[in-house]
């Protein structure tokens, strides 16, 4: 069964767990920019893999080593800031 929490505990957990985008740009643009950057990074990996396979065609040893050292996407989203930190930063700016 679900644990009953006091309003103060709910507020404390909300300030810890809820996240806010504090990157400094328009937060609406992130909806398009994040998927776009992930897709571009994955396309780069696939293109590199395709080129490596084309170079090593006919050599089974080279193909086996390619699968072991496959690239990973180089783009990662910066984590958002917790709501508590975001509020304290905003208060600091306002004063």
């Amino acid at each position: 069964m679900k644990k009953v929490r006091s309003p103060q505990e709910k507020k404390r957990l909300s300030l810890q767990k809820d996240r806010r985008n504090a990157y400094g740009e328009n937060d609406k643009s992130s909806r398009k920019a994040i998927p776009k950057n992930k897709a571009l990074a994955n396309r780069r990996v696939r293109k590199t893999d395709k080129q490596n396979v084309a170079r090593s065609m006919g050599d089974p040893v080279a193909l086996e080593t390619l699968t072991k050292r496959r690239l990973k996407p180089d783009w990662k989203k910066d984590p958002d800031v917790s709501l508590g930190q975001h509020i304290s930063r905003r208060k600091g700016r306002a004063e």
Side-chain angles (χ1 to χ4, degrees):
M1 207 163 152
K2 192 173 180 180
K3 181 181 176 186
V4 178
R5 294 194 167 114
S6 68
Q8 292 83 6
E9 188 177 3
K10 286 181 184 178
K11 183 70 172 184
R12 184 181 56 78
L13 288 172
S14 172
L15 290 174
Q16 285 178 353
K17 292 184 177 183
D18 293 350
R19 311 296 273 180
R20 291 293 182 269
N21 182 2
Y23 189 65
E25 292 182 351
N26 185 351
D27 58 336
K28 311 300 189 274
S29 67
S30 298
R31 278 189 249 144
K32 291 183 179 184
I34 291 169
K36 180 184 170 190
N37 288 328
K38 286 175 74 172
L40 290 173
N42 287 323
R43 283 181 204 148
R44 268 187 247 121
V45 169
R46 287 196 306 268
K47 182 178 180 176
T48 305
D49 286 347
K50 188 175 179 181
Q51 289 173 345
N52 290 337
V53 167
R55 273 191 227 121
S56 63
M57 284 306 285
D59 187 9
V61 175
L63 279 173
E64 189 175 321
T65 59
L66 282 177
T67 58
K68 290 181 182 175
R69 60 185 177 100
R70 185 166 188 252
L71 291 175
K72 290 188 169 79
D74 59 348
W75 186 84
K76 289 236 185 237
K77 179 187 175 291
D78 290 333
D80 291 333
V81 178
S82 71
L83 181 58
Q85 289 176 342
H86 185 72
I87 290 172
S88 66
R89 285 182 188 175
R90 302 263 324 237
K91 281 184 180 177
R93 269 192 248 151
E95 292 174 1

